[in-house]
Amino acid sequence: MVKIAFGNFGDSFSVGSLKAYLSEFIATLLFVFAGVGSAIAYSKLTADAALDPPGLVAVAVAHAFALFVGVSIAANISGGHLNPAVTFGLAIGGHITLLTGLFYWIAQSLGSIVACLLLKFVTNGKSIPTHGVASGVNAFEGVVFEIVITFGLVYTVYATAADPKKGSLGIIAPIAIGFIVGANILAAGPFSGGSMNPARSLGPAVVSGDFSQIWIYWLGPLIGGGLAGLVYGDIFIGSYSPAPSSEEYA
């Protein structure tokens, strides 16, 4: 069964934990800088034209590449979450305590905000694009979109990184995680924006001052991440039993 633990302040403020928070801050900053920066760059190159298919592909690829790198550089220190929904999903499965997870959220959110502030500065004040549902898509549909695609992301994290039986599959975990994010942006970008990451949406909202739809990008991803933690953690990881101690399995 899944195991949720609150944790204690001693563990959450240990040297290792503090290093993990710094790692999450830096990795999230680099990921958001590249991801949001790609959208700003596209806007500059097309004179603020509406996002077209080539632009969508470019933004999706930029996010996929940046997340692949971000997860890789943080994996050995913090686990490479870079996303409050991933952290929440892993907390549901007992892979991180709720208290430590809260500090991960703070580090990830600050990393995203600082990334967007830097982008605002280095682009000479260009507007920071925020997530929002497209015309013809209502808020409920946007939340469901984010639930589904975030479920796919966190399920991938579990299957390739958190599963104790992953074996050599863990080597490609950052690639798989980056790929599923890129693919989901291609699918959901024209509808919900394809966030999957509350921190990724929070930074632009804070810097632009537009919080009108930010709740969609916290509610949807947290539900999706939590469901993935329940399904994979309880049904699959929770059902594992040790192999029989027998010469047949030697």
Side-chain angles (χ1 to χ4, degrees):
M1 299 294 289
V2 292
K3 181 181 180 182
I4 302 175
F6 179 77
N8 60 73
F9 283 96
D11 290 337
S12 295
F13 284 97
S14 67
V15 173
S17 292
L18 294 176
K19 289 181 179 179
Y21 306 149
L22 179 59
S23 175
E24 285 292 303
F25 170 81
I26 293 172
T28 306
L29 186 157
L30 297 176
F31 164 63
V32 173
F33 189 91
V36 177
S38 68
I40 296 174
Y42 175 81
S43 178
K44 177 178 173 59
L45 291 173
T46 58
D48 298 324
L51 189 66
D52 58 10
L56 176 63
V57 172
V59 170
V61 169
H63 279 80
F65 283 177
L67 187 58
F68 161 54
V69 173
V71 171
S72 297
I73 63 177
N76 293 333
I77 305 169
S78 64
H81 298 190
L82 283 71
N83 183 339
V86 170
T87 299
F88 182 64
L90 291 173
I92 292 294
H95 294 272
I96 185 172
T97 66
L98 293 176
L99 184 59
T100 297
L102 175 62
F103 291 115
Y104 267 52
W105 281 19
I106 294 172
Q108 293 156 354
S109 297
L110 288 175
S112 179
I113 293 169
V114 171
C116 292
L117 287 171
L118 288 171
L119 282 167
K120 186 83 171 178
F121 174 73
V122 299
T123 60
N124 195 28
K126 280 197 169 292
S127 62
I128 305 298
T130 59
H131 277 130
V133 297
S135 176
V137 178
N138 62 42
F140 177 73
E141 292 166 340
V143 169
V144 173
F145 238 118
E146 290 296 317
I147 289 172
V148 174
I149 60 178
T150 309
F151 178 91
L153 166 59
V154 179
Y155 194 91
T156 301
V157 171
Y158 261 94
T160 62
D163 192 324
K165 297 181 71 176
K166 64 182 181 294
S168 59
L169 185 64
I171 297 173
I172 68 163
I175 300 175
I177 294 166
F179 277 8
I180 190 63
V181 164
N184 281 341
I185 290 174
L186 290 175
F191 301 97
S192 71
S195 173
M196 297 164 275
N197 186 333
R200 163 64 180 81
S201 297
L202 179 65
V206 169
V207 174
S208 68
D210 181 3
F211 295 93
S212 59
Q213 298 189 48
I214 189 63
W215 66 272
I216 294 173
Y217 302 100
W218 277 88
L219 180 62
L222 290 180
I223 293 175
L227 286 174
L230 285 171
V231 171
Y232 204 103
D234 198 19
I235 296 176
F236 297 114
I237 295 179
S239 67
Y240 290 161
S241 58
S245 179
S246 165
E247 290 185 4
E248 293 180 22
Y249 297 88

